[in-house]
Amino acid sequence: MKKLTRRSFNSLATKGILGSALMANMPLANALTTKQNGKKLGIALVGLGSYSTYQLAPSLQETSHCYLAGIVTGTKEKEAVWSKKYNIPSKNIYNYENFDSIVNNKDIDVVYVVLPNSMHADFCIRAAKAGKHVICEKPMAVSVLECDAIIKACNENNVKLSVGYRMQSDPYTNEVKKYVREKTFGDVLFVSSDAGYISKGNPNQWRLDKSLSGGGALMNMGVYSIQTSIYGTGQNPIAVSAQEFSTRPDYFKDTDETITAQFKFENGAVAHMMTSHNANGNQLKCHCSNGWFELEPAHSYGPISGTTSNGDILKFPHKRQQALQMDDFAKHILMGTKNVAPGEMGKRDMIIVEAIYKSIAEGGKEQLLSLGNMGIVS
Amino acid sequence: MKKLTRRSFNSLATKGILGSALMANMPLANALTTKQNGKKLGIALVGLGSYSTYQLAPSLQETSHCYLAGIVTGTKEKEAVWSKKYNIPSKNIYNYENFDSIVNNKDIDVVYVVLPNSMHADFCIRAAKAGKHVICEKPMAVSVLECDAIIKACNENNVKLSVGYRMQSDPYTNEVKKYVREKTFGDVLFVSSDAGYISKGNPNQWRLDKSLSGGGALMNMGVYSIQTSIYGTGQNPIAVSAQEFSTRPDYFKDTDETITAQFKFENGAVAHMMTSHNANGNQLKCHCSNGWFELEPAHSYGPISGTTSNGDILKFPHKRQQALQMDDFAKHILMGTKNVAPGEMGKRDMIIVEAIYKSIAEGGKEQLLSLGNMGIVS
């Protein structure tokens, strides 16, 4: 845990936002005065594409500890529409040029960067420098180096950082994590996961443009399977190998269409995954020494569906995952609860993404990984 | 189709067993007099291990076109037990030394070789030389060369050959094959399959002895996933890559424990599979352009269970797969119906098995395959 200086402590204390490092030594009631007295954290969404429009903004109508306070958009017409729909004052509306002046806006506590992947690092770092907590949509960035830069900026500016891994706040995912932790079905021996959809839309969409996306199916959907492989085993892989498949090169001009990968874990578990922009897949199945459990769908917007070898059918009340996710982060900031999707988790996944691309470049050769417990949140 | 000589024709005509090559030129009623007038083909089981004991012999009590006529065993005590239980006359009981004299036994039409894998070729060839039709349990042999030798011996002796692929006679499997053929859910884009169990038994069992099994999980269970990948797409793969995982080397001394493999198909479909002697798996899932279908379990003794994206739950009357399988082969012999699991299918799968082992030896390098339609039965 990074040690806070007095200056950064004062800065945090002023805002009433205290890291969990300090929490242990302070009475809770004292530490959380400002924000916890009914006041919610103000979130600004950066980038008003379909994910912000149809998922994040509606979710922010359901959150308890944060609310939609501001927007950052490059599309002038969206300003009025959003302002009206969500009652956002004009002083909380920014564009990409004047974004840095958000430093002076006390309404905004958290900046959620929902831009194309290659823009994540830039805007996350700018948000951190403006003293705002940061949520970075997945994948965290387009390289490990960029992840490092984001983490460094957040540390230096004493702001919290999380990755937009909504599944980490999903109750079905957390039930699976509990099975793994408590060995409900014994040791996990084999995990099979897939995450894909059939991309048929505009061939000029940013996801198919490597300069914006950093990669194709792996960057977009593959990250889900990397995540499921890890929370399906409770461990980081110690080695990975991978293969790429291409059948529609005219459409997938410079991004990966389908990738398979295999993971080796220290305790002997094995996982394989498939991710694609040309085939559907939405499953996590864990075969254990004494049974199995499965999520299918495993990572759609929900409700997720789960079954086990005991005949159990998982059933949890449905709430928008993004609402749970943003509230989890707000509670982390406000109350020092754990960060369920810290920057280290996003960086770890990017290390794996890079290893997968390297394995493909080397004809499927196994890549050793030295991740330790990096990004594991139990 | 191999042309029959007069001598072989006479030999077949005497027994009343006529190949489909001749069928086309002869009135059906005339060709099938002896065997089809209510008489069933006599089958001799070679090797009375658990598969013969608990699957094949009971199945032969349910067959319509063949029956348990004889046994070949190296265990003297089994002779009396089986003779009594199944009313087998002593003249139809052989051991491995006097097996070749089966040539003179008119009760035996078909020899089913159920020995450890490395003994398949020897006994299949001896059976063929004795003029008996041959069922060779899967995997067909321990090398492609041995498969060639079996096929050659059967051709030269004008006997029919099939591999013990019971799933090819299973109604659920055939429903899946129909989906693929008729594009019920559109084009198959991605197939995920696994086939494994946790081996905990006697470490001296023949399956764990490479000199008898020729290999571990891949030889035993992997063949199911190779088969499902092929009937799940309706095509042979054009390339394969593979990886091996070992976590219990003390138990799996010289056979593979867990293997993952990836298949590329000419039409762009992708498949990945996992097979293991250290993890469970029993699934075939096919993701298509307009939906999906799934078998799980996909290859246990049944009943198999199947579901589709239409909400259909497949339901077929249950009959022992081995009874269906042996009747299919008997009908092929008696009536010239198609051979649903010909020797070429077993050889093709062994080509793939060898390519998988080669890929593993070469660090996961992709192996190109030139199978054409070899072994595809539509």
Side-chain angles (χ1 to χ4, degrees):
Chain A
M1 186 73 67
K2 197 173 186 300
K3 205 161 189 261
L4 292 179
T5 61
R6 172 157 295 272
R7 189 175 156 211
S8 63
F9 169 76
N10 285 344
S11 155
L12 286 169
T14 307
K15 293 192 228 160
I17 300 162
L18 285 160
S20 54
L22 287 165
M23 300 285 297
N25 301 319
M26 302 189 70
L28 195 67
N30 184 30
L32 302 172
T33 39
T34 316
K35 287 292 176 188
Q36 234 191 352
N37 289 339
K39 191 165 179 286
K40 295 175 170 184
L41 294 183
I43 291 193
L45 297 178
V46 184
L48 304 182
S50 65
Y51 194 64
S52 284
T53 306
Y54 302 112
Q55 300 302 329
L56 297 178
S59 294
L60 282 163
Q61 311 314 304
E62 299 182 9
T63 43
S64 304
H65 303 281
C66 52
Y67 73 105
L68 179 56
I71 52 174
V72 185
T73 177
T75 310
K76 193 73 191 164
E77 307 83 68
K78 290 183 181 173
E79 293 183 6
V81 175
W82 280 66
S83 172
K84 190 176 170 197
K85 181 164 188 183
Y86 293 111
N87 197 27
I88 299 170
S90 58
K91 71 181 181 70
N92 291 358
I93 299 176
Y94 295 85
N95 56 43
Y96 299 140
E97 286 66 45
N98 66 15
F99 169 66
D100 301 299
S101 65
I102 205 166
V103 65
N104 301 313
N105 192 327
K106 291 198 185 329
D107 289 353
I108 311 298
D109 303 288
V110 178
V111 165
Y112 195 153
V113 177
V114 205
L115 295 164
N117 306 339
S118 69
M119 301 167 76
H120 287 186
D122 181 25
F123 277 82
C124 286
I125 292 167
R126 286 162 72 179
K129 286 183 176 167
K132 306 304 179 187
H133 302 288
V134 176
I135 309 176
C136 177
E137 190 42 44
K138 50 109 322 231
M140 186 167 163
V142 297
S143 70
V144 175
L145 277 178
E146 284 189 354
C147 294
D148 280 332
I150 295 170
I151 291 169
K152 184 166 175 274
C154 290
N155 282 339
E156 285 178 353
N157 292 281
N158 291 302
V159 297
K160 304 288 186 185
L161 166 64
S162 85
V163 183
Y165 286 140
R166 60 191 161 82
M167 299 315 300
Q168 294 286 349
S169 296
D170 176 87
Y172 294 82
T173 297
N174 279 288
E175 185 72 2
V176 158
K177 288 171 80 169
K178 198 183 81 173
Y179 292 157
V180 174
R181 198 169 55 241
E182 298 181 355
K183 294 184 188 282
T184 311
F185 299 90
D187 293 313
V188 177
L189 299 172
F190 167 60
V191 175
S192 181
S193 71
D194 38 64
Y197 63 84
I198 304 173
S199 178
K200 289 174 172 166
N202 176 6
N204 296 320
Q205 63 186 287
W206 70 261
R207 290 205 180 281
L208 303 178
D209 179 345
K210 194 175 179 183
S211 67
L212 290 171
S213 62
L218 182 62
M219 281 284 184
N220 181 21
M221 301 303 291
V223 174
Y224 289 110
S225 276
I226 291 171
Q227 285 257 310
T228 54
S229 300
I230 292 172
Y231 57 70
T233 58
Q235 301 166 78
N236 287 330
I238 57 171
V240 64
S241 54
Q243 304 75 35
E244 185 177 352
F245 301 84
S246 168
T247 63
R248 291 166 60 199
D250 290 348
Y251 183 78
F252 300 107
K253 285 191 178 64
D254 66 349
T255 58
D256 43 286
E257 176 184 324
T258 299
I259 283 177
T260 51
Q262 304 77 42
F263 299 106
K264 193 179 280 182
F265 295 87
E266 190 149 29
N267 74 341
V270 172
H272 75 172
M273 61 164 268
M274 185 287 300
T275 187
S276 183
H277 274 166
N278 189 47
N280 293 315
N282 196 338
Q283 188 183 27
L284 164 66
K285 181 141 193 179
C286 298
H287 291 276
C288 311
S289 49
N290 296 319
W292 53 262
F293 51 92
E294 180 179 38
L295 298 179
E296 184 174 26
H299 40 69
S300 36
Y301 296 146
I304 297 306
S305 178
T307 50
T308 81
S309 53
N310 288 346
D312 299 333
I313 297 173
L314 307 192
K315 208 75 203 167
F316 295 96
H318 182 55
K319 196 167 176 185
R320 282 179 180 268
Q321 295 151 346
Q322 294 87 351
L324 297 169
Q325 168 206 331
M326 290 186 279
D327 264 348
D328 273 348
F329 188 51
K331 285 188 277 183
H332 168 61
I333 295 166
L334 291 168
M335 307 169 203
T337 56
K338 72 182 170 192
N339 187 347
V340 298
E344 288 70 22
M345 185 185 278
K347 175 185 168 181
R348 173 201 65 193
D349 296 347
M350 195 53 51
I351 291 173
I352 296 170
V353 162
E354 289 190 352
I356 286 173
Y357 283 132
K358 187 155 184 266
S359 176
I360 291 166
E362 293 178 358
K365 194 179 158 201
E366 183 177 87
Q367 308 292 313
L368 298 180
L369 297 163
S370 305
L371 298 167
N373 283 321
M374 181 178 187
I376 296 280
V377 177
S378 56
Chain B
M1 187 72 69
K2 198 173 186 300
K3 204 158 190 265
L4 293 179
T5 61
R6 173 157 293 274
R7 188 174 158 213
S8 65
F9 169 76
N10 285 344
S11 155
L12 286 170
T14 307
K15 293 193 226 156
I17 300 161
L18 285 161
S20 54
L22 286 165
M23 299 287 295
N25 301 320
M26 301 189 69
L28 195 68
N30 184 31
L32 301 173
T33 39
T34 317
K35 287 292 178 189
Q36 234 192 351
N37 290 340
K39 191 162 180 287
K40 295 174 170 184
L41 294 183
I43 291 192
L45 298 177
V46 184
L48 304 182
S50 66
Y51 193 64
S52 284
T53 306
Y54 302 111
Q55 299 302 328
L56 296 179
S59 294
L60 281 162
Q61 311 314 304
E62 298 182 9
T63 42
S64 303
H65 303 282
C66 52
Y67 74 104
L68 179 55
I71 52 174
V72 185
T73 176
T75 310
K76 193 72 192 165
E77 307 84 67
K78 290 183 181 173
E79 293 183 6
V81 175
W82 280 65
S83 171
K84 189 175 171 201
K85 181 164 187 183
Y86 293 112
N87 197 27
I88 298 169
S90 59
K91 72 181 178 69
N92 291 357
I93 299 176
Y94 296 84
N95 57 43
Y96 299 139
E97 286 67 45
N98 67 14
F99 169 67
D100 301 299
S101 64
I102 206 167
V103 65
N104 302 313
N105 191 326
K106 291 196 184 330
D107 289 354
I108 310 299
D109 302 289
V110 177
V111 165
Y112 194 154
V113 177
V114 204
L115 296 164
N117 306 340
S118 68
M119 301 168 75
H120 286 185
D122 182 24
F123 277 82
C124 287
I125 292 167
R126 286 164 70 179
K129 286 183 176 167
K132 307 303 180 188
H133 301 288
V134 177
I135 308 176
C136 177
E137 189 42 42
K138 52 113 314 236
M140 186 165 163
V142 298
S143 70
V144 175
L145 277 178
E146 285 189 353
C147 295
D148 279 332
I150 296 171
I151 291 169
K152 184 165 173 276
C154 290
N155 282 339
E156 285 179 353
N157 292 281
N158 291 302
V159 296
K160 303 288 187 185
L161 166 64
S162 84
V163 182
Y165 285 140
R166 60 191 161 81
M167 299 315 300
Q168 293 287 348
S169 296
D170 176 86
Y172 294 83
T173 298
N174 279 289
E175 185 72 2
V176 157
K177 289 171 80 170
K178 198 183 81 173
Y179 292 157
V180 174
R181 198 169 54 241
E182 297 181 356
K183 294 183 186 286
T184 312
F185 299 90
D187 293 314
V188 177
L189 298 172
F190 167 59
V191 175
S192 180
S193 71
D194 39 62
Y197 64 84
I198 304 172
S199 178
K200 289 175 175 167
N202 177 6
N204 297 319
Q205 62 186 286
W206 71 261
R207 289 205 180 280
L208 303 178
D209 179 345
K210 193 175 178 182
S211 66
L212 290 171
S213 62
L218 182 62
M219 281 282 185
N220 180 22
M221 301 303 290
V223 174
Y224 289 110
S225 276
I226 291 172
Q227 285 257 312
T228 54
S229 300
I230 292 172
Y231 58 69
T233 57
Q235 302 164 77
N236 287 330
I238 57 171
V240 63
S241 55
Q243 305 76 34
E244 185 177 352
F245 302 84
S246 169
T247 63
R248 292 166 60 199
D250 291 349
Y251 183 78
F252 300 106
K253 285 190 177 65
D254 65 349
T255 58
D256 42 286
E257 176 184 323
T258 298
I259 283 177
T260 50
Q262 305 77 42
F263 299 106
K264 194 179 282 185
F265 295 87
E266 190 149 29
N267 73 342
V270 172
H272 75 171
M273 60 164 268
M274 185 286 301
T275 187
S276 183
H277 275 166
N278 190 47
N280 293 315
N282 196 338
Q283 188 183 26
L284 165 65
K285 181 142 192 180
C286 298
H287 291 276
C288 311
S289 49
N290 296 320
W292 53 263
F293 51 92
E294 180 179 37
L295 297 179
E296 184 174 24
H299 40 67
S300 36
Y301 296 146
I304 297 306
S305 180
T307 48
T308 80
S309 54
N310 288 345
D312 299 334
I313 297 174
L314 306 192
K315 207 77 202 165
F316 294 98
H318 182 54
K319 195 166 176 185
R320 280 178 182 267
Q321 295 151 345
Q322 294 88 351
L324 297 170
Q325 169 206 330
M326 290 186 279
D327 265 348
D328 273 348
F329 188 50
K331 285 188 277 183
H332 169 61
I333 294 167
L334 292 168
M335 306 169 203
T337 55
K338 73 182 170 192
N339 187 347
V340 298
E344 288 70 22
M345 186 184 277
K347 176 186 168 181
R348 173 202 65 194
D349 295 347
M350 195 54 50
I351 291 173
I352 295 170
V353 162
E354 289 191 353
I356 286 174
Y357 283 133
K358 188 154 184 266
S359 176
I360 290 166
E362 294 179 357
K365 193 179 158 202
E366 182 178 87
Q367 307 292 312
L368 298 181
L369 297 163
S370 304
L371 298 167
N373 283 321
M374 182 178 187
I376 296 279
V377 177
S378 57

